[in-house]
Amino acid sequence: FLFNAILGRTLSLNDFGLVTLFNTILGLLGVVFSGVAAAVTHRVAFLAGREKYNEGTLFSRITLRKTFFVAFLASVAWVFSDGLIGRFFKVNDLILIWFFAPAILFGAMAAVQGGLLKGRFAFKALGVAGVVEAVAKFIFAIAFLWSGRTDLIAMSIPASIAIAFVVTDWYVGRLVRDVIPEDEIIKADTRYTFPNKFFGASILSYGASAVFLNIDVLVAKHFLSPEAAGAYALLSLVGKMIVLFG
């Protein structure tokens, strides 16, 4: 909220509407990311409870590979849909759409790594990664603001997510020091399937509130002018602050 509150006072309505748009899309993607993280946590914690730490690591690495493949395809599809997305949300600068693609890739992979850390009860690492992401987003936004490139402030979102992934991955590297041969990972792929039912239940759990809080901004960005959509985004931010802080 501090990030959006400061930008709401300094950016034009058009630029603030763009930042809010990409934050909103990220919030909706977060439903899927949270589902992936919860599924990984569920399986890793279950195996850790049986003292099968190595098998939990195998599962998370298998899931990371599959997640990378799916997220990479989703990122490519996002880039190639830039014209459609730009017209739908009235975004003239397609560079902003292109540079949001890494947020999909790094966000998905960070969800897997974060799920492993949570399943292994490394809550300090998760807290540090969350703080680093918030601080990095704020610093990038201030840097764009001071340089006069307020039209590029939305890029601070994917940049902060990439840094958060690096921090999370570093903590995973410290937590999991064992070297697992490639053939063991391939064999384990047939033993540890992804908990799809738990994943679906997690998405339903996270999705209701996320859609309720975010879908109106997307509708406003499509139907209203860029300035009116920015004004609506600012009013929506105030409303969310009242709901959450009240």
Side-chain angles (χ1 to χ4, degrees):
F1 284 115
L2 179 63
F3 173 80
N4 287 323
I6 293 177
L7 295 184
R9 291 178 57 85
T10 55
L11 297 182
S12 65
L13 291 177
N14 185 21
D15 290 336
F16 184 75
L18 288 174
V19 174
T20 305
L21 169 66
F22 289 110
N23 266 327
T24 301
I25 295 174
L26 182 63
L28 294 176
L29 288 173
V31 174
V32 180
F33 297 161
S34 298
V36 172
V40 173
T41 299
H42 168 71
R43 183 56 58 86
V44 170
F46 172 77
L47 293 172
R50 294 190 171 189
E51 297 185 355
K52 297 181 179 180
Y53 298 103
N54 191 57
E55 295 184 9
T57 302
L58 282 170
F59 169 76
S60 66
R61 292 193 178 183
I62 294 167
T63 305
L64 183 63
R65 290 187 174 193
K66 294 179 179 179
T67 301
F68 172 81
F69 178 73
V70 174
F72 179 78
L73 292 180
S75 301
V76 172
W78 171 271
V79 171
F80 279 99
S81 303
D82 56 350
L84 178 62
I85 296 171
R87 288 192 298 271
F88 187 85
F89 292 118
K90 300 178 182 177
V91 179
N92 296 323
D93 193 352
L94 297 182
I95 294 179
L96 296 177
I97 298 176
W98 300 339
F99 275 93
F100 186 77
I104 303 174
L105 182 62
F106 288 115
M109 292 193 297
V112 177
Q113 300 293 63
L116 172 61
L117 291 174
K118 192 173 182 179
R120 296 287 287 269
F121 308 110
F123 299 112
K124 178 182 177 181
L126 289 172
V128 171
V131 171
V132 168
E133 179 181 356
V135 172
K137 182 192 291 187
F138 187 77
I139 291 175
F140 278 117
I142 294 300
F144 283 123
L145 190 63
W146 284 351
S147 64
R149 297 306 306 269
T150 57
D151 55 319
L152 300 179
I153 285 183
M155 290 185 183
S156 61
I157 299 172
S160 62
I161 293 175
I163 291 177
F165 167 73
V166 171
V167 174
T168 305
D169 193 60
W170 180 76
Y171 271 111
V172 169
R174 291 190 60 189
L175 178 69
V176 183
R177 296 182 179 275
D178 51 321
V179 179
I180 302 176
E182 184 73 17
D183 58 340
E184 287 191 28
I185 297 178
I186 296 174
K187 292 178 182 178
D189 194 9
T190 61
R191 298 200 305 268
Y192 307 119
T193 57
F194 189 77
N196 292 312
K197 291 184 179 180
F198 188 89
F199 172 66
S202 299
I203 287 183
L204 290 177
S205 176
Y206 294 119
S209 60
V211 171
F212 173 75
L213 292 173
N214 294 301
I215 197 67
D216 60 322
V217 175
L218 299 183
V219 173
K221 197 70 177 71
H222 174 64
F223 288 103
L224 301 180
S225 66
E227 290 75 18
Y232 182 89
L234 190 58
L235 291 174
S236 176
L237 172 64
V238 174
K240 292 174 184 177
M241 293 176 67
I242 293 173
V243 170
L244 294 178
F245 292 155

